[in-house]
Amino acid sequence: MAARYGAGQAVDAVDAAMSQLKEALDGMPFARFRFSGKHKAVTRAVADLTVAMADVQPYLQDI
């Protein structure tokens, strides 16, 4: 149960962090074009990680 709860909390925290990153880039238009490629790569990697964590969550056993 604790591992499943921890995975859920991690997914929520990553989602919140990505939202904050998007808001920060929206506030800096000059940085948007400079970092757009890196931002896209990070966003894709974090999305893959989040999906993987969500997929594993039902299989976690009580430890």
Side-chain angles (χ1 to χ4, degrees):
M1 177 78 156
R4 185 175 300 168
Y5 178 75
Q9 291 289 7
V11 169
D12 293 341
V14 167
D15 185 45
M18 292 305 291
S19 294
Q20 288 178 352
L21 178 61
K22 183 182 181 309
E23 290 175 10
L25 280 178
D26 286 344
M28 298 183 295
F30 63 91
R32 173 177 286 267
F33 298 109
R34 184 173 180 189
F35 298 113
S36 65
K38 291 180 182 179
H39 178 263
K40 187 181 285 187
V42 168
T43 302
R44 185 171 291 132
V46 170
D48 290 343
L49 174 64
T50 303
V51 169
M53 289 173 63
D55 286 347
V56 168
Q57 193 172 2
Y59 299 105
L60 295 174
Q61 301 285 330
D62 290 344
I63 296 174

Coordinates of all heavy atoms in Angstrom, one line a residue:
M1 N 0.8 -1.2 0.0 CA 0.0 0.0 0.0 C 0.9 1.3 0.0 O 0.6 2.2 -0.7 CB -0.9 0.0 1.2 CG -1.8 1.2 1.4 SD -3.1 1.1 0.2 CE -4.3 2.2 1.0
A2 N 1.9 1.2 0.8 CA 2.8 2.4 0.9 C 3.5 2.7 -0.5 O 3.6 3.9 -0.9 CB 3.8 2.2 2.0
A3 N 3.9 1.7 -1.2 CA 4.6 1.9 -2.5 C 3.6 2.4 -3.5 O 3.9 3.3 -4.3 CB 5.2 0.6 -2.9
R4 N 2.4 1.9 -3.5 CA 1.3 2.4 -4.4 C 1.0 3.8 -4.1 O 0.9 4.7 -5.0 CB 0.1 1.5 -4.3 CG -1.0 1.9 -5.3 CD -2.1 0.9 -5.2 NE -1.7 -0.4 -5.5 CZ -2.4 -1.5 -5.3 NH1 -3.6 -1.4 -4.8 NH2 -1.9 -2.7 -5.5
Y5 N 0.9 4.2 -2.8 CA 0.6 5.6 -2.5 C 1.8 6.5 -2.9 O 1.6 7.6 -3.4 CB 0.4 5.7 -1.0 CG 0.1 7.1 -0.5 CD1 -1.1 7.7 -0.7 CD2 1.1 7.8 0.2 CE1 -1.4 9.0 -0.3 CE2 0.9 9.1 0.7 CZ -0.4 9.6 0.4 OH -0.6 10.9 0.9
G6 N 3.0 6.0 -2.7 CA 4.2 6.8 -3.1 C 4.3 7.1 -4.6 O 4.6 8.1 -5.0
A7 N 3.9 6.0 -5.3 CA 3.9 6.2 -6.8 C 2.9 7.2 -7.2 O 3.1 8.0 -8.1 CB 3.7 4.9 -7.5
G8 N 1.7 7.2 -6.6 CA 0.6 8.1 -6.9 C 1.1 9.5 -6.6 O 0.8 10.5 -7.4
Q9 N 1.7 9.7 -5.5 CA 2.2 11.0 -5.0 C 3.3 11.5 -6.0 O 3.3 12.7 -6.3 CB 2.7 11.0 -3.6 CG 1.7 10.8 -2.6 CD 0.8 12.0 -2.4 OE1 0.8 13.0 -3.1 NE2 -0.1 11.9 -1.4
A10 N 4.1 10.6 -6.4 CA 5.2 11.0 -7.4 C 4.6 11.5 -8.7 O 5.1 12.5 -9.3 CB 6.2 9.9 -7.6
V11 N 3.6 10.8 -9.2 CA 3.0 11.2 -10.4 C 2.3 12.6 -10.3 O 2.5 13.4 -11.2 CB 1.9 10.1 -10.9 CG1 1.1 10.6 -12.0 CG2 2.6 8.8 -11.3
D12 N 1.7 12.8 -9.2 CA 1.1 14.1 -9.0 C 2.1 15.2 -8.8 O 1.9 16.3 -9.4 CB 0.2 14.1 -7.7 CG -1.0 13.2 -7.8 OD1 -1.4 12.9 -9.0 OD2 -1.6 12.8 -6.8
A13 N 3.2 14.9 -8.2 CA 4.3 15.9 -8.0 C 4.9 16.2 -9.3 O 5.2 17.4 -9.6 CB 5.3 15.4 -7.0
V14 N 5.1 15.2 -10.2 CA 5.7 15.5 -11.5 C 4.8 16.3 -12.4 O 5.2 17.2 -13.1 CB 6.1 14.1 -12.2 CG1 6.4 14.3 -13.7 CG2 7.2 13.5 -11.5
D15 N 3.5 16.0 -12.3 CA 2.5 16.8 -13.0 C 2.5 18.2 -12.6 O 2.5 19.2 -13.4 CB 1.1 16.2 -12.9 CG 0.1 16.8 -13.7 OD1 0.4 17.1 -14.9 OD2 -1.0 17.1 -13.2
A16 N 2.6 18.5 -11.3 CA 2.6 19.9 -10.8 C 3.9 20.6 -11.2 O 3.9 21.8 -11.6 CB 2.5 19.9 -9.3
A17 N 5.0 19.9 -11.2 CA 6.3 20.5 -11.6 C 6.3 20.8 -13.1 O 6.8 21.9 -13.5 CB 7.4 19.5 -11.3
M18 N 5.7 20.0 -13.9 CA 5.6 20.3 -15.4 C 4.7 21.5 -15.6 O 5.0 22.3 -16.5 CB 5.2 19.1 -16.1 CG 6.2 17.9 -16.1 SD 7.9 18.4 -16.7 CE 7.6 18.7 -18.4
S19 N 3.7 21.6 -14.9 CA 2.8 22.8 -15.0 C 3.5 24.0 -14.6 O 3.4 25.1 -15.3 CB 1.5 22.6 -14.1 OG 0.8 21.5 -14.6
Q20 N 4.3 24.0 -13.6 CA 5.1 25.2 -13.1 C 6.1 25.5 -14.2 O 6.3 26.7 -14.5 CB 5.7 24.9 -11.8 CG 4.8 24.9 -10.6 CD 5.5 24.5 -9.3 OE1 6.7 24.2 -9.3 NE2 4.8 24.6 -8.3
L21 N 6.7 24.5 -14.8 CA 7.7 24.8 -15.9 C 7.1 25.5 -17.0 O 7.6 26.4 -17.6 CB 8.4 23.5 -16.3 CG 9.4 23.6 -17.4 CD1 10.6 24.5 -17.0 CD2 9.9 22.2 -17.8
K22 N 5.9 25.0 -17.4 CA 5.2 25.6 -18.5 C 4.8 27.1 -18.2 O 5.0 27.9 -19.1 CB 3.9 24.8 -18.9 CG 3.2 25.4 -20.1 CD 1.9 24.6 -20.3 CE 1.1 25.1 -21.5 NZ 0.8 26.5 -21.6
E23 N 4.3 27.3 -17.0 CA 4.0 28.7 -16.6 C 5.3 29.6 -16.6 O 5.2 30.7 -17.1 CB 3.4 28.7 -15.3 CG 2.0 28.1 -15.2 CD 1.4 28.0 -13.8 OE1 2.0 28.6 -12.9 OE2 0.4 27.4 -13.7
A24 N 6.4 29.0 -16.2 CA 7.6 29.8 -16.2 C 8.1 30.1 -17.6 O 8.5 31.3 -17.9 CB 8.7 29.0 -15.5
L25 N 8.0 29.2 -18.5 CA 8.4 29.5 -19.9 C 7.4 30.5 -20.6 O 7.8 31.3 -21.4 CB 8.5 28.2 -20.7 CG 9.8 27.4 -20.5 CD1 9.7 26.1 -21.3 CD2 11.0 28.2 -20.9
D26 N 6.1 30.4 -20.2 CA 5.2 31.3 -20.8 C 5.5 32.8 -20.3 O 5.2 33.7 -21.0 CB 3.7 31.0 -20.3 CG 3.2 29.7 -21.1 OD1 3.8 29.4 -22.1 OD2 2.2 29.2 -20.6
G27 N 6.1 32.9 -19.1 CA 6.4 34.2 -18.6 C 7.7 34.8 -19.2 O 8.0 35.9 -18.9
M28 N 8.4 34.0 -19.9 CA 9.7 34.4 -20.5 C 9.7 34.1 -22.0 O 10.2 33.1 -22.5 CB 10.9 33.7 -19.9 CG 11.0 33.9 -18.4 SD 12.5 33.1 -17.7 CE 12.0 31.3 -17.9
P29 N 9.0 35.0 -22.8 CA 8.9 34.7 -24.2 C 10.3 34.6 -24.9 O 10.4 33.8 -25.9 CB 8.1 35.9 -24.8 CG 7.9 36.8 -23.7 CD 8.4 36.2 -22.4
F30 N 11.3 35.3 -24.5 CA 12.6 35.2 -25.1 C 13.2 33.9 -24.9 O 13.9 33.4 -25.7 CB 13.5 36.3 -24.6 CG 13.8 36.2 -23.2 CD1 14.9 35.5 -22.7 CD2 13.0 36.8 -22.2 CE1 15.2 35.4 -21.4 CE2 13.3 36.7 -20.9 CZ 14.4 36.0 -20.4
A31 N 12.9 33.2 -23.8 CA 13.5 31.9 -23.5 C 12.7 30.8 -24.2 O 13.3 29.7 -24.4 CB 13.5 31.7 -22.0
R32 N 11.5 31.0 -24.5 CA 10.6 30.0 -25.2 C 11.3 29.5 -26.4 O 11.4 28.3 -26.6 CB 9.3 30.5 -25.5 CG 8.4 29.6 -26.3 CD 7.0 30.1 -26.5 NE 6.3 30.1 -25.3 CZ 5.5 29.1 -25.0 NH1 5.3 28.1 -25.8 NH2 4.8 29.1 -23.9
F33 N 11.8 30.4 -27.3 CA 12.4 29.9 -28.5 C 13.8 29.3 -28.3 O 14.2 28.4 -29.0 CB 12.4 31.1 -29.5 CG 11.0 31.6 -29.9 CD1 10.6 32.8 -29.4 CD2 10.2 30.8 -30.6 CE1 9.3 33.2 -29.8 CE2 8.9 31.2 -30.9 CZ 8.5 32.4 -30.5
R34 N 14.5 29.8 -27.3 CA 15.8 29.4 -27.1 C 15.8 28.0 -26.5 O 16.7 27.2 -26.8 CB 16.5 30.3 -26.1 CG 18.0 30.0 -25.9 CD 18.6 31.1 -25.0 NE 20.0 30.7 -24.8 CZ 20.8 31.4 -24.0 NH1 20.3 32.4 -23.3 NH2 22.0 31.0 -23.8
F35 N 14.9 27.7 -25.7 CA 14.9 26.4 -25.0 C 13.8 25.4 -25.5 O 13.5 24.4 -24.9 CB 14.7 26.6 -23.5 CG 15.8 27.4 -22.8 CD1 15.6 28.6 -22.3 CD2 17.1 26.8 -22.8 CE1 16.6 29.3 -21.7 CE2 18.1 27.5 -22.2 CZ 17.9 28.8 -21.7
S36 N 13.1 25.8 -26.6 CA 12.0 25.0 -27.0 C 12.3 23.5 -27.3 O 11.6 22.6 -27.0 CB 11.3 25.6 -28.2 OG 12.1 25.6 -29.3
G37 N 13.5 23.3 -27.9 CA 13.9 21.9 -28.2 C 14.2 21.1 -27.0 O 13.8 20.0 -26.9
K38 N 14.9 21.7 -26.1 CA 15.2 21.0 -24.8 C 13.9 20.8 -24.0 O 13.8 19.8 -23.4 CB 16.2 21.8 -24.0 CG 17.6 21.8 -24.7 CD 18.6 22.5 -23.9 CE 19.9 22.5 -24.6 NZ 21.0 23.3 -23.9
H39 N 13.1 21.8 -24.0 CA 11.8 21.7 -23.3 C 11.0 20.5 -23.8 O 10.4 19.8 -23.1 CB 11.1 23.0 -23.3 CG 9.7 22.9 -22.6 ND1 8.6 22.7 -23.3 CD2 9.4 23.1 -21.3 CE1 7.6 22.7 -22.4 NE2 8.1 22.9 -21.2
K40 N 10.9 20.4 -25.1 CA 10.2 19.4 -25.7 C 10.7 18.0 -25.4 O 10.0 17.1 -25.1 CB 10.2 19.5 -27.3 CG 9.2 18.5 -28.0 CD 9.3 18.7 -29.5 CE 8.5 20.0 -29.8 NZ 8.4 20.1 -31.3
A41 N 12.1 17.9 -25.4 CA 12.7 16.6 -25.0 C 12.4 16.2 -23.6 O 12.1 15.1 -23.2 CB 14.2 16.7 -25.3
V42 N 12.5 17.2 -22.7 CA 12.3 17.0 -21.3 C 10.8 16.6 -21.0 O 10.5 15.7 -20.3 CB 12.7 18.2 -20.4 CG1 12.1 18.0 -19.0 CG2 14.2 18.4 -20.4
T43 N 9.9 17.3 -21.7 CA 8.5 17.0 -21.6 C 8.2 15.6 -22.0 O 7.4 14.9 -21.4 CB 7.7 18.1 -22.4 OG1 8.0 19.4 -21.9 CG2 6.2 17.9 -22.2
R44 N 8.7 15.2 -23.1 CA 8.5 13.9 -23.6 C 9.0 12.8 -22.7 O 8.3 11.8 -22.4 CB 9.1 13.7 -25.0 CG 8.7 12.4 -25.7 CD 9.2 12.3 -27.1 NE 8.4 13.2 -27.9 CZ 8.9 14.1 -28.8 NH1 10.2 14.2 -29.0 NH2 8.1 14.9 -29.5
A45 N 10.2 13.0 -22.2 CA 10.8 12.1 -21.2 C 10.0 12.0 -19.9 O 9.8 10.9 -19.4 CB 12.2 12.5 -20.9
V46 N 9.6 13.1 -19.4 CA 8.8 13.1 -18.2 C 7.4 12.5 -18.4 O 6.9 11.7 -17.6 CB 8.6 14.5 -17.6 CG1 7.6 14.6 -16.5 CG2 10.0 15.0 -17.1
A47 N 6.8 12.7 -19.6 CA 5.5 12.1 -19.9 C 5.7 10.5 -20.0 O 4.9 9.8 -19.5 CB 5.0 12.6 -21.2
D48 N 6.8 10.1 -20.6 CA 7.0 8.6 -20.7 C 7.2 8.0 -19.2 O 6.7 7.0 -18.9 CB 8.3 8.3 -21.5 CG 8.1 8.6 -23.0 OD1 6.9 8.7 -23.4 OD2 9.1 8.7 -23.7
L49 N 7.9 8.7 -18.4 CA 8.1 8.3 -17.0 C 6.8 8.3 -16.3 O 6.5 7.3 -15.5 CB 9.1 9.2 -16.3 CG 9.3 9.0 -14.8 CD1 9.9 7.6 -14.6 CD2 10.2 10.1 -14.2
T50 N 6.0 9.3 -16.4 CA 4.7 9.4 -15.7 C 3.8 8.2 -16.1 O 3.2 7.6 -15.3 CB 4.1 10.7 -16.0 OG1 5.0 11.8 -15.6 CG2 2.8 10.9 -15.2
V51 N 3.8 8.0 -17.4 CA 2.9 6.9 -17.9 C 3.4 5.5 -17.4 O 2.6 4.7 -17.0 CB 2.9 6.9 -19.5 CG1 2.2 5.6 -20.0 CG2 2.1 8.1 -19.9
A52 N 4.7 5.3 -17.4 CA 5.3 4.1 -16.9 C 5.0 3.9 -15.4 O 4.6 2.8 -14.9 CB 6.8 4.1 -17.1
M53 N 5.1 5.0 -14.6 CA 4.8 4.9 -13.2 C 3.3 4.6 -13.0 O 2.9 3.8 -12.1 CB 5.2 6.2 -12.5 CG 6.6 6.4 -12.4 SD 7.1 8.0 -11.8 CE 6.4 8.0 -10.1
A54 N 2.4 5.2 -13.7 CA 1.0 5.0 -13.6 C 0.7 3.5 -14.0 O -0.2 2.9 -13.4 CB 0.2 6.0 -14.5
D55 N 1.4 3.0 -15.0 CA 1.1 1.6 -15.4 C 1.6 0.6 -14.4 O 1.0 -0.4 -14.3 CB 1.8 1.3 -16.8 CG 1.2 2.0 -18.0 OD1 0.0 2.5 -17.8 OD2 1.8 2.1 -19.0
V56 N 2.6 0.9 -13.7 CA 3.2 0.0 -12.7 C 2.4 0.0 -11.4 O 2.3 -1.0 -10.7 CB 4.7 0.3 -12.4 CG1 5.2 -0.4 -11.2 CG2 5.5 0.0 -13.6
Q57 N 1.7 1.1 -11.1 CA 1.1 1.3 -9.8 C 0.1 0.2 -9.4 O 0.2 -0.3 -8.3 CB 0.3 2.7 -9.9 CG -0.1 3.1 -8.5 CD -0.7 4.6 -8.6 OE1 -0.7 5.1 -9.7 NE2 -1.1 5.1 -7.5
P58 N -0.7 -0.4 -10.3 CA -1.6 -1.5 -9.8 C -0.9 -2.7 -9.5 O -1.4 -3.6 -8.7 CB -2.5 -1.7 -11.1 CG -2.4 -0.5 -11.9 CD -1.0 0.1 -11.6
Y59 N 0.4 -2.9 -9.9 CA 1.1 -4.2 -9.7 C 2.0 -4.1 -8.4 O 2.6 -5.1 -8.0 CB 2.0 -4.5 -10.9 CG 1.2 -4.7 -12.1 CD1 1.1 -3.8 -13.1 CD2 0.4 -5.9 -12.3 CE1 0.4 -3.9 -14.3 CE2 -0.3 -6.0 -13.4 CZ -0.3 -5.1 -14.4 OH -1.1 -5.3 -15.5
L60 N 2.0 -3.0 -7.8 CA 2.8 -2.8 -6.6 C 2.2 -3.6 -5.4 O 1.0 -3.5 -5.2 CB 3.1 -1.4 -6.2 CG 3.9 -0.6 -7.2 CD1 3.9 0.9 -6.8 CD2 5.3 -1.1 -7.3
Q61 N 2.9 -4.4 -4.8 CA 2.4 -5.2 -3.6 C 2.7 -4.4 -2.3 O 3.5 -3.6 -2.2 CB 3.2 -6.5 -3.6 CG 3.1 -7.4 -4.8 CD 1.7 -8.0 -4.9 OE1 1.1 -8.3 -3.9 NE2 1.3 -8.3 -6.2
D62 N 1.9 -4.8 -1.3 CA 2.2 -4.3 0.0 C 3.5 -4.8 0.5 O 3.8 -6.0 0.4 CB 1.1 -4.7 1.0 CG -0.2 -4.1 0.7 OD1 -0.3 -3.1 0.0 OD2 -1.2 -4.6 1.2
I63 N 4.3 -3.8 0.9 CA 5.7 -4.2 1.3 C 5.8 -4.0 2.8 O 5.4 -3.1 3.3 CB 6.8 -3.4 0.5 CG1 6.7 -3.7 -0.9 CG2 8.1 -3.6 1.1 CD1 7.5 -2.9 -1.8

